[in-house]
Amino acid sequence: MRNARRLIMMGLLLCGTLILAPTSWAQARPPILEKIAKTYGLDSYGKIEAIRYNWNLEIPGVIKLAHRWEWEPKTGKITFESTDKDGKPVKVSYDSSQLSSQSDQVKNEVEPAFVNDNYWLLFPFHAYWDTSATVTDEGMKKLPTGAGSATLVSVKYPPEAGGYTPGDTWELYVGKDNRVEYLVFHHGGTKKPSLVNATWAGYKKAGPILFSTEHRGTADGKPLHIFITDVAVKLTGSDTWTKAQ
């Protein structure tokens, strides 16, 4: 997996995240959190057998990369595809439920990249699942950019929760339709970028799940573009991929 580490870790730096499964430390949850998750398809999530998508990152003059993922949530099987710095293909498949038996490259590079990219894809679900996080409804606030206002929902992960970069805070600006309109991300610790601002737009639906596929903003003041393409889901009992539209 020649030079995949450099590419993957650059992607991870944008957004260090915690584990994908819910934790055991429950906190009081404001009602809006469940409303958001249900808007994105929480009630039908159990029907999903597989999700595939391309996660793309561009910071002009700094980095440009693409990760392709295929994930089976019920089995834990993950397939990753990308390219190294010479443009040569990189591909690996592994079982995330058996991570301790995987190679160091999978454990230290690919899996953290998967968690990072998956949080960008499905954060409304992760915010609901990650019960170690402290979630607060801050009420109506002005949007960080442009006109208008939205409900600010803060999701803060405690340092003791562990994960790749504990102490991260996600500030979600949520519209009246319970869709996220804007995100402000504060990195825990000293990793960079420490501050990411991004729109949540380009909404598409694949099967019962709603996805935001377009994120534009800044990472420590530098222009940032994260976009998710070729999103599709496979439902229980079907061998056909349903593409996001």
Side-chain angles (χ1 to χ4, degrees):
M1 196 174 297
R2 182 183 175 190
N3 288 310
R5 179 182 179 85
R6 181 182 68 85
L7 294 179
I8 293 168
M9 292 309 295
M10 283 299 296
L12 179 64
L13 286 176
L14 275 179
C15 183
T17 49
L18 300 181
I19 59 176
L20 288 173
T23 68
S24 59
W25 304 321
Q27 302 281 347
R29 320 289 277 179
I32 192 172
L33 188 62
E34 184 174 7
K35 292 179 181 178
I36 296 169
K38 286 189 173 184
T39 296
Y40 285 80
L42 178 68
D43 290 341
S44 299
Y45 184 77
K47 299 177 182 178
I48 302 299
E49 289 294 320
I51 302 175
R52 73 181 185 196
Y53 58 98
N54 296 338
W55 188 88
N56 307 277
L57 166 68
E58 292 182 359
I59 302 178
V62 178
I63 191 170
K64 180 177 181 180
L65 61 83
H67 298 161
R68 181 171 178 82
W69 301 101
E70 187 172 315
W71 174 42
E72 297 177 7
K74 296 177 181 178
T75 67
K77 182 181 178 181
I78 295 171
T79 299
F80 166 78
E81 294 181 61
S82 189
T83 56
D84 64 21
K85 70 173 185 177
D86 298 320
K88 295 181 179 179
V90 174
K91 183 174 182 179
V92 61
S93 293
Y94 64 100
D95 184 347
S96 61
S97 66
Q98 303 293 326
L99 197 59
S100 62
S101 65
Q102 303 300 324
S103 68
D104 287 344
Q105 289 176 319
V106 169
K107 288 187 287 189
N108 301 327
E109 302 166 16
V110 179
E111 175 69 5
F114 170 74
V115 174
N116 174 77
D117 297 1
N118 195 270
Y119 266 59
W120 278 99
L121 182 77
L122 297 173
F123 186 72
F125 292 159
H126 290 298
Y128 181 78
W129 292 330
D130 294 343
T131 54
S132 66
T134 298
V135 182
T136 55
D137 182 344
E138 305 288 345
M140 294 295 290
K141 302 291 183 181
K142 187 180 181 300
L143 289 171
T145 59
S149 58
T151 300
L152 173 57
V153 178
S154 174
V155 183
K156 182 174 178 58
Y157 291 90
E160 64 269 19
Y164 296 116
T165 56
D168 293 343
T169 299
W170 300 65
E171 294 176 345
L172 307 178
Y173 288 80
V174 182
K176 293 180 180 179
D177 57 1
N178 292 319
R179 292 185 179 188
V180 178
E181 296 181 1
Y182 202 88
L183 162 73
V184 178
F185 173 81
H186 302 269
H187 232 324
T190 59
K191 289 190 176 182
K192 300 295 183 179
S194 58
L195 179 64
V196 174
N197 294 269
T199 59
W200 274 55
Y203 275 99
K204 296 182 179 181
K205 201 167 186 179
I209 308 300
L210 183 66
F211 298 94
S212 172
T213 64
E214 184 70 20
H215 310 287
R216 290 184 180 272
T218 59
D220 284 347
K222 296 181 180 179
L224 166 73
H225 185 200
I226 292 174
F227 53 105
I228 302 169
T229 59
D230 194 28
V231 182
V233 302
K234 190 180 291 185
L235 302 178
T236 301
S238 175
D239 293 327
T240 301
W241 287 99
T242 301
K243 293 184 179 180
Q245 297 182 358

